Structure formats: structure tokens, C-alpha cells
């Protein structure tokens, strides 16, 4: 791997640049996850159905999945510092457009623009984080920057729902725009000029070559199915809480906070257990528990009245949050084991794209389920996708050998 520009040495004496980049990932994660919790309010305010409002999630996640690898490859010659500052500025402006969107179509277009900015920022921030520090500190640097997304899941998304309840949903976009503006200022001050000038970026041909390996592709499809199941449920979970548990307004935010904290616990424990026990002993049970939690959510919806559904729904939420996000670091470790260290950055970037593609498919499947049936059936549909991911994973693990693929 080429070294970064010699005009600015690695910032080994301070983690400040990493924290500014993490503020950017926090803003992106907050905007990306908060919309699902506000879906009933947004749908009512814009005069569209819940299924149509759900396309706001489909548009963002699909645009992210498709644009991220393409734009990252096309902008490989641009200085990383300038690219991060530019994309975070664009992200702030796009949030202002969403804040002032006069109708559904304008909001949809703003979310596509948000996704394109986010899809450029996140992988480049991760790459630069690893280049800013000495090799023995790269794991910690990546943890700081990616931690912004984890904190967004745990705190940013439920906070957005609470702001939407106290003020209105538009103010959440204004708040994220302010976060993005602060991150932009931090990047301007915290990243030395010329940093990351010679940071290599994989071409589209290299990405397609890695994705074409059968074992890598099987792993990426497992991620796709896992993510599809997760977002089939998550996108319409606020509506589920409305109808099944009688939870509305700020209480939806409290429910998402419980889920988010569980997800954060899952990420941390999943990574540590994967290191200690091996990824197979984490990913397989995680998918079993995740599937069971989705089945439980639909069973509760059909068998219990709202007055009695709250406790089992919250229990299923905790199991879902922990198991779903414990799977993700274990899956990353598995893909790195398949691809080898030389191709790790490419395969992890592809994994993120397949995850967001799965999020998009899940949001679309949730919309189809709600439009043609009932939100009570969403858990069954989500569980079916997780079952498919489990079937694919178990079949792959029986055949996998520890050697990495060749470049």
C-alpha cells in the first residue's frame, strides 16, 4: 500500500482528526437511520401512504449502494482531504434541501443526493483513518471513525425521532445539517493540507474481479440477505409499534433507543467474540436468534392485544438488536479471511455496498408487505430472508477452507 503524502506526517500525536471524521460518520448514520422512526409522521404530513413514504428509505439505500463504489473509484485521483471536506459540505447542503423540501418528490431527490455524498464520505474516511496513524494503531483509528455510525444507531436515530415529536420532522434534517457543518469545519482545521494525497483507491475492474470470486460472492450474498431481512423489519418498525404495541410519538424514540443500545452492544460483543471464538461460532447463532426475534414479533402481533404486547415486543427488540449487529463484525472477519489482507479493503467496501443494497431491497419488501397485507406480517417476511442467509452461510462454512483468494 502506498504511503500518504510526505507533506504532512501521520497525526500520531493527536486523535482529533479522527474524531472530526467520526462526527461526519455520526451525522451520516443519524440521517440514514432516523427516517424509519419518523415514517408515520412524514407520510401523514406529505399526504402519502406508509408504503410510498418507505420509498424514501429505498431511494437512499439504493443510491448509496450503487453510487458509492462507482464514485469512489472515479474520484481516486482527488486529494482525500479535499474530497472529505467537499462531500461533507454537500451532505450539509442536501440536508438543508430536505429541511425545506416542498413535497414528497423534492424530499426523495434530496435523499438521493444525501446518499451519494454519504457513499463517498464513509469509505474515504475509513481509508484515510488507516493512513493517518502508524500500522499498529490502525485498528483503533478505524474503530473511532466507524464508531460514529454505531453511536448514530444507538443515540442519533432515536434522538431524531424525539426532535420530530417535540418540534417537527423537518427540524431533524436541520439538526443533521448543523452536525455536518460542524464536521466540515473540524475537517478544515484538523486535516493537514496534502494529507492522503497518494492514498490508493481500487478501480472498478479490481472490485469486480474480487466480487467475481465464488467464495467472496457467496459471502456478499449472505450479507445482502441479512441486510434485506433487517430492513424489511426496521423500515416499518415505527408503524409496527403504533399498531401492535400502541406506541406513538416520543415513545417510538424510546423504543428505538432500546434497539439502538442493543445494536451497539451487539457490534462490540460480536467483534470480540469473533476474535476469541471464530467468526463461524458467532455469525451462525446470531442469524438463528435474529430469525427467531422476527418470527416472535409477528407472532406477538397476531396473538396479543396492545396492552399485553409491549413487554414481549421489547424483549424481541433487544434480541434482534444484539444478534443482528453481532453478525456484522463476524461477517467482516469472515470476508477478510476469505479475501486475505491484500484485498481486505476492497472486499469490505463491497460488503458495505451489498449491505446497503440489502437495506434497499428490505425497505422495498417491507413496503410491498404493508401495501398488500399488514404490518403484522413484516416479521415473517424478514425472518424468511434471514433464514435464506443462514442457509447460504451454513452451506458455505461446510466448504470453506482457510486459504485466502488470490489477487
Amino acid at each position: 500500500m502506498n504511503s500518504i503524502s510526505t507533506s504532512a506526517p501521520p497525526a500520531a500525536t493527536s486523535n482529533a482528526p479522527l474524531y472530526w471524521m467520526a462526527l461526519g460518520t455520526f451525522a451520516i448514520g443519524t440521517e440514514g437511520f432516523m427516517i424509519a422512526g419518523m415514517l408515520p409522521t412524514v407520510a401523514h404530513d406529505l399526504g402519502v401512504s406508509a408504503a410510498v413514504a418507505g420509498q424514501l428509505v429505498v431511494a437512499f439505500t439504493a443510491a448509496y449502494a450503487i453510487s458509492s463504489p462507482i464514485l469512489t473509484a472515479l474520484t481516486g485521483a482527488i486529494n482525500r482531504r479535499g474530497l472529505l471536506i467537499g462531500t461533507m459540505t454537500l451532505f450539509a447542503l442536501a440536508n438543508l434541501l430536505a429541511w425545506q423540501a416542498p413535497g414528497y418528490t423534492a424530499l426523495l431527490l434530496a435523499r438521493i443526493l444525501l446518499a451519494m455524498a454519504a457513499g463517498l464520505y464513509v469509505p474515504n474516511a475509513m481509508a484515510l483513518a488507516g493512513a493517518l496513524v502508524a500500522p499498529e494503531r490502525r485498528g483503533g483509528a478505524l474503530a473511532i471513525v466507524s464508531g460514529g455510525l454505531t453511536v448514530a444507531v444507538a443515540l442519533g436515530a432515536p434522538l431524531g425521532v424525539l426532535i420530530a415529536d417535540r418540534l417537527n420532522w423537518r427540524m431533524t434534517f436541520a439538526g443533521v445539517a448543523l452536525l455536518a457543518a460542524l464536521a466540515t469545519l473540524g475537517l478544515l482545521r484538523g486535516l493537514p493540507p496534502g494529507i492522503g494525497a497518494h492514498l490508493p483507491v481500487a478501480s472498478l475492474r479490481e472490485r469486480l474481479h474480487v466480487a467475481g470470486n465464488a467464495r467472496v460472492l457467496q459471502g456478499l450474498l449472505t450479507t445482502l440477505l441479512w441486510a434485506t431481512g433487517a430492513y424489511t423489519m426496521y423500515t416499518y418498525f415505527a408503524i409496527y409499534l403504533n399498531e401492535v404495541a400502541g406506541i406513538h410519538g416520543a415513545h417510538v424514540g424510546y423504543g428505538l433507543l432500546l434497539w439502538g443500545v442493543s445494536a451497539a452492544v451487539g457490534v462490540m460483543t460480536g467483534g470480540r467474540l469473533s476474535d476469541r471464538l471464530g467468526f463461524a461460532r458467532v455469525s451462525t447463532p446470531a442469524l438463528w436468534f435474529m430469525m427467531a426475534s422476527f418470527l416472535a414479533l409477528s407472532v406477538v402481533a397476531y396473538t396479543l392485544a396492545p396492552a399485553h404486547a409491549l413487554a414481549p415486543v421489547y424483549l424481541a427488540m433487544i434480541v434482534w438488536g444484539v444478534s443482528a449487529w453481532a453478525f456484522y463484525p463476524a461477517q467482516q472477519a469472515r470476508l477478510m479471511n476469505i479475501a486475505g489482507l491484500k484485498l481486505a479493503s476492497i472486499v469490505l467496501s463491497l460488503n458495505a455496498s451489498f449491505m446497503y443494497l440489502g437495506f434497499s431491497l428490505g425497505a422495498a419488501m417491507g413496503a410491498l408487505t404493508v401495501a398488500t397485507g399488514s404490518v403484522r406480517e413484516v416479521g415473517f417476511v424478514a425472518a424468511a430472508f434471514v433464514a435464506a442467509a443462514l442457509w447460504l452461510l451454513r452451506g458455505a462454512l461446510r466448504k470453506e477452507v482457510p486459504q485466502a483468494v488470490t489477487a
Side-chain angles (χ1 to χ4, degrees), residues 129 155 188 207 297 317 388:
L155 299 178
L188 280 166
R207 294 168 191 263
L297 287 170
M317 285 172 60

Side-chain angles (χ1 to χ4, degrees), residues 123-152:
N124 283 291
M126 296 296 185
L128 185 56
L132 279 172
V133 298
E136 63 271 15
R137 293 182 53 204
R138 282 177 184 161
L142 291 171
I144 290 174
V145 177
S146 63
L149 296 172
T150 304
V151 175

Side-chain angles (χ1 to χ4, degrees), residues 9-401:
T13 59
S14 173
N15 283 334
L18 300 175
Y19 287 115
W20 286 119
M21 286 191 284
L23 181 59
T25 57
F26 173 74
I28 287 171
T30 298
E31 197 284 330
F33 283 98
M34 72 182 184
I35 190 71
M38 304 185 302
L39 216 55
T41 304
V42 173
H44 180 269
D45 188 55
L46 297 180
V48 298
S49 68
V52 171
Q55 301 311 302
L56 295 170
V57 179
V58 176
F60 180 92
T61 50
Y64 188 112
I66 295 170
S67 70
S68 181
I70 297 173
L71 294 179
T72 299
L74 293 177
T75 57
I78 299 177
N79 174 267
R80 299 300 93 180
R81 178 182 184 270
L83 188 62
L84 289 182
I85 292 170
T87 52
M88 190 48 55
T89 301
L90 178 61
F91 189 76
L93 294 174
N95 270 286
L96 293 178
L97 290 176
W99 172 42
Q100 292 295 315
Y104 174 82
T105 301
L107 182 58
L108 187 73
L109 294 175
R111 292 221 81 211
I112 293 174
L113 188 59
L114 283 164
M116 294 174 70
L120 256 178
Y121 180 88
V122 174
N124 283 291
M126 296 296 185
L128 185 56
L132 279 172
V133 298
E136 63 271 15
R137 293 182 53 204
R138 282 177 184 161
L142 291 171
I144 290 174
V145 177
S146 63
L149 296 172
T150 304
V151 175
V153 172
L155 299 178
L159 181 61
V161 175
L162 293 177
I163 291 174
D165 180 66
R166 293 289 186 269
L167 301 174
N168 60 67
W169 63 267
R170 293 180 181 275
M171 289 304 298
T172 62
F173 289 102
V176 174
L178 178 59
L179 284 174
L182 290 174
T184 302
L185 292 175
L187 294 171
L188 280 166
R189 292 176 58 87
L191 294 181
I195 200 77
H198 303 299
L199 198 64
V201 176
S203 67
L204 284 174
R205 178 175 295 180
E206 289 173 316
R207 294 168 191 263
L208 290 173
H209 172 76
V210 174
N213 177 274
R215 288 187 292 142
V216 170
L217 182 59
Q218 193 171 34
L220 295 174
L221 291 176
T222 303
T223 295
L224 176 74
L225 291 168
W226 160 80
T228 302
Y231 249 60
T232 298
M233 190 74 237
Y234 182 79
T235 305
Y236 292 92
F237 197 57
I239 297 173
Y240 172 94
L241 291 175
N242 291 172
E243 294 190 15
V244 174
I247 297 176
H248 300 272
H251 293 284
V252 172
Y254 301 144
L256 288 179
L257 177 61
L258 176 64
W259 178 86
V261 171
S262 302
V265 170
V267 168
M268 292 184 290
T269 57
R272 292 174 182 173
L273 289 175
S274 180
D275 289 339
R276 291 178 58 186
L277 305 177
F279 48 80
R281 294 185 178 181
V282 176
S283 56
T284 301
L287 290 180
W288 276 111
F289 278 106
M290 185 180 175
M291 180 176 62
S293 67
F294 287 154
L295 291 173
L297 287 170
S298 276
V299 169
V300 167
Y302 277 107
T303 58
L304 296 180
H308 301 101
L310 189 58
V313 164
Y314 275 176
L315 178 60
M317 285 172 60
I318 294 171
V319 174
W320 162 25
V322 172
S323 60
W325 288 100
F327 170 83
Y328 191 62
Q331 175 70 348
Q332 287 180 306
R334 174 178 169 242
L335 285 168
M336 288 180 68
N337 181 71
I338 295 172
L341 288 177
K342 183 179 178 181
L343 303 176
S345 62
I346 299 178
V347 78
L348 292 182
S349 176
L350 288 168
N351 191 51
S353 292
F354 272 71
M355 178 179 72
Y356 272 90
L357 181 59
F359 287 169
S360 178
L361 292 174
M365 288 303 303
L368 181 63
T369 304
V370 171
T372 60
S374 166
V375 74
R376 289 172 167 79
E377 299 167 1
V378 169
F380 291 141
V381 177
F385 281 104
V386 178
L390 181 61
W391 173 78
L392 196 60
L393 175 65
R394 287 170 62 86
L397 290 176
R398 284 194 293 266
K399 301 175 184 176
E400 256 175 38
V401 293

